[in-house]
Amino acid sequence: MVYDVIIAGAGPAGAVLAYLLAQRGLSVRVIEKSRMPRYKTCGGSLTFKAIQNLPFDVSPTYELRAAGGIMAYAGREMIRLELECPIAWLIMRDHFDHYLIQQAVQSGTVFSDGLTIKGYETVGAGIKVHTTKGSFKSCLLVGADGVNSVISRSAGLLTHRKVGIAIEAELVVPDSVLQEQDAYATFDFGALSYGYGWILPKRDHLSVGVYHARPGKAANIKQDLQNYIKMNPVLNENKPISIRGHHIPLGGQKQRLNNDRVILVGDAANLADPWLGK
Amino acid sequence: MTIYYGIKSANIAANVILKYFENGSGDLDKYTDRINTQIVHQLAYARAIAGLVYCFPHFGTVLLQRSDLLQSAVLNIVRGDLNFQQLASTLILGLPRILTQALRQKRLTNAQLTPGL
């Protein structure tokens, strides 16, 4: 079978694109290297503007509604901002991304997870995508496979990529700490140089992380996270259940994001804001 | 981390791909053009703001603490009611008001802390 579109990657960009195309009758296959649901390093704040751009309701994935923001400096609270209108909801990316791809499948998308793409070749008027478990043909190929995109490299697109880095710990904390944090998202621009730290509450734990926005200067990012946790004594007593890192593409430079048969979307297209890494 | 721009780029890609198949063979270059116009242009402003904020993080946090204009602008950028270009304009045009608010707030705080005033 020759698909109209093959999409590499089942993150938000790939899953939403698959949903929109399948809804309009195109034959779509999504190939994801991880088994879903899978953990993803991400603060997990789903902003109001993101929800407005989604083609379906995602409220079943909400963990908490952000009640406000705490601006801190080097662990010291400076101001607590109350929100009158909804600004963001807090989610876990494993649950959220899984939900999105389920919606795409329900709209007619064929989905394969646990399949790694090795590369692709142009064959006549189409594309042949090679994976660890065989090849698939399509008219178009979309790279939604993240900041380390195989499709981008294979297509020779975005050869000059600037990246920041984020590292995050999921902390199980006592109920008293969860109650203290309430539904407030903390942002701390004194947590490290050229970046910020965050504490985002989830239903039963806290996501604590740091983001470094200067490419190539983040050699001590793990130490930065440990320092940030130490700045907040209530966090320091709790052992993280996981620590994961992730590169953040730093957008803002015009580069070609397509060729005759290939399009890049999301992180694969370097589309993140260099200020907040969102 | 980058959910919003992922979803926005997916919407733009869907429009271009659907046109591609409607016309038999369309022009995918329109995708790059639209991303540059609707997203990358804004991210260039975000890059400039990042340079400013990360060079003076304490000053920026104190201004945010003391200026309701700045607080409102930051909340609106997160919510999506402002884009980065508009935020840059707000920072430039509103700078006198932001600084005035910050200075007035500092005087108030000093007066509250100083006995006898």
Side-chain angles (χ1 to χ4, degrees):
Chain A
M1 175 179 180
V2 179
Y3 293 94
D4 289 323
V5 182
I6 288 178
I7 299 172
V16 168
L17 178 58
Y19 174 90
L20 292 169
L21 297 178
Q23 277 273 309
R24 295 288 294 271
L26 298 191
S27 59
V28 182
R29 183 177 200 112
V30 175
I31 299 171
E32 163 63 42
K33 68 178 177 185
S34 305
R35 288 274 178 204
M36 301 289 274
R38 53 93 181 91
Y39 180 83
K40 178 111 185 189
T41 306
C42 181
S45 67
L46 184 66
T47 56
F48 182 72
K49 62 181 177 180
I51 292 165
Q52 283 183 309
N53 277 269
L54 279 165
F56 46 79
D57 174 38
V58 294
S59 59
T61 66
Y62 298 163
E63 294 252 315
L64 285 174
R65 176 183 154 174
I70 296 171
M71 297 305 301
Y73 193 83
R76 190 163 70 89
E77 180 174 328
M78 301 287 275
I79 185 168
R80 197 170 277 238
L81 301 172
E82 304 283 344
L83 308 175
E84 290 169 5
C85 49
I87 189 167
W89 280 260
L90 300 163
I91 54 160
M92 287 299 291
R93 283 291 299 276
D94 48 359
H95 184 201
F96 179 74
D97 288 10
H98 192 218
Y99 182 83
L100 296 187
I101 196 64
Q102 284 175 325
Q103 305 310 304
V105 168
Q106 281 177 19
S107 73
T109 298
V110 178
F111 177 54
S112 313
D113 59 356
L115 217 57
T116 302
I117 292 178
K118 296 195 289 189
Y120 79 90
E121 61 181 314
T122 304
V123 179
I127 292 268
K128 196 171 184 182
V129 178
H130 303 292
T131 77
T132 44
K133 292 178 184 169
S135 302
F136 302 95
K137 290 180 183 171
S138 67
C139 297
L140 297 180
L141 173 62
V142 176
D145 49 345
V147 66
N148 300 314
S149 171
V150 171
I151 304 304
S152 165
R153 279 201 305 275
S154 301
L157 296 168
L158 276 178
T159 49
H160 303 292
R161 200 185 274 273
K162 286 186 176 176
V163 294
I165 191 166
I167 186 169
E168 181 179 59
E170 306 289 351
L171 285 180
V172 176
V173 295
D175 286 349
S176 58
V177 176
L178 274 179
Q179 283 163 10
E180 172 70 19
Q181 186 71 28
D182 199 2
Y184 287 83
T186 299
F187 299 96
D188 189 328
F189 286 87
L192 70 165
S193 63
Y194 224 83
Y196 70 95
W198 72 82
I199 304 170
L200 294 174
K202 300 294 166 60
R203 201 173 288 152
D204 56 2
H205 70 280
L206 297 176
S207 291
V208 182
V210 292
Y211 162 66
H212 199 300
R214 182 165 281 175
K217 300 272 185 184
N220 294 320
I221 188 85
K222 281 186 181 172
Q223 188 61 49
D224 288 334
L225 177 61
Q226 286 173 3
N227 291 343
Y228 181 51
I229 289 174
K230 281 180 189 165
M231 283 176 197
N232 297 271
V234 289
L235 302 180
N236 198 23
E237 297 160 5
N238 304 281
K239 280 194 174 176
I241 48 176
S242 71
I243 297 180
R244 305 274 181 92
H246 196 258
H247 283 118
I248 308 286
L250 303 177
Q253 289 181 314
K254 289 183 180 177
Q255 295 188 70
R256 194 160 187 233
L257 303 175
N258 71 281
N259 62 26
D260 290 348
R261 297 273 159 199
V262 176
I263 274 182
L264 303 176
V265 296
D267 280 9
N270 245 33
L271 301 177
D273 115 48
W275 177 22
L276 298 174
K278 290 194 176 296
Chain B
M1 291 282 281
T2 51
I3 301 170
Y4 168 65
Y5 290 110
I7 293 167
K8 192 165 172 70
S9 65
N11 279 288
I12 294 169
N15 285 330
V16 171
I17 290 172
L18 288 168
K19 285 257 166 57
Y20 178 96
F21 284 102
E22 276 171 19
N23 300 335
S25 65
D27 178 9
L28 294 184
D29 286 341
K30 284 178 184 160
Y31 173 71
T32 293
D33 295 342
R34 288 186 193 170
I35 291 288
N36 281 336
T37 307
Q38 295 180 37
I39 298 180
V40 176
H41 178 68
Q42 291 298 325
L43 296 182
Y45 279 95
R47 182 184 289 264
I49 292 167
L52 198 64
V53 171
Y54 289 137
C55 283
F56 307 102
H58 187 254
F59 182 62
T61 307
V62 170
L63 283 186
L64 186 65
Q65 182 190 28
R66 294 177 181 174
S67 167
D68 57 10
L69 177 65
L70 197 53
Q71 291 165 17
S72 165
V74 168
L75 289 177
N76 282 330
I77 195 93
V78 176
R79 189 179 146 82
D81 293 339
L82 270 186
N83 60 38
F84 286 111
Q85 187 175 2
Q86 291 167 325
L87 177 65
S89 297
T90 302
L91 292 177
I92 293 166
L93 299 175
L95 190 60
R97 191 175 144 199
I98 291 168
L99 291 173
T100 305
Q101 286 179 336
L103 287 170
R104 189 176 296 154
Q105 192 71 24
K106 189 182 180 194
R107 273 197 207 114
L108 279 173
T109 309
N110 287 344
Q112 285 160 1
L113 291 175
T114 310
L117 285 179

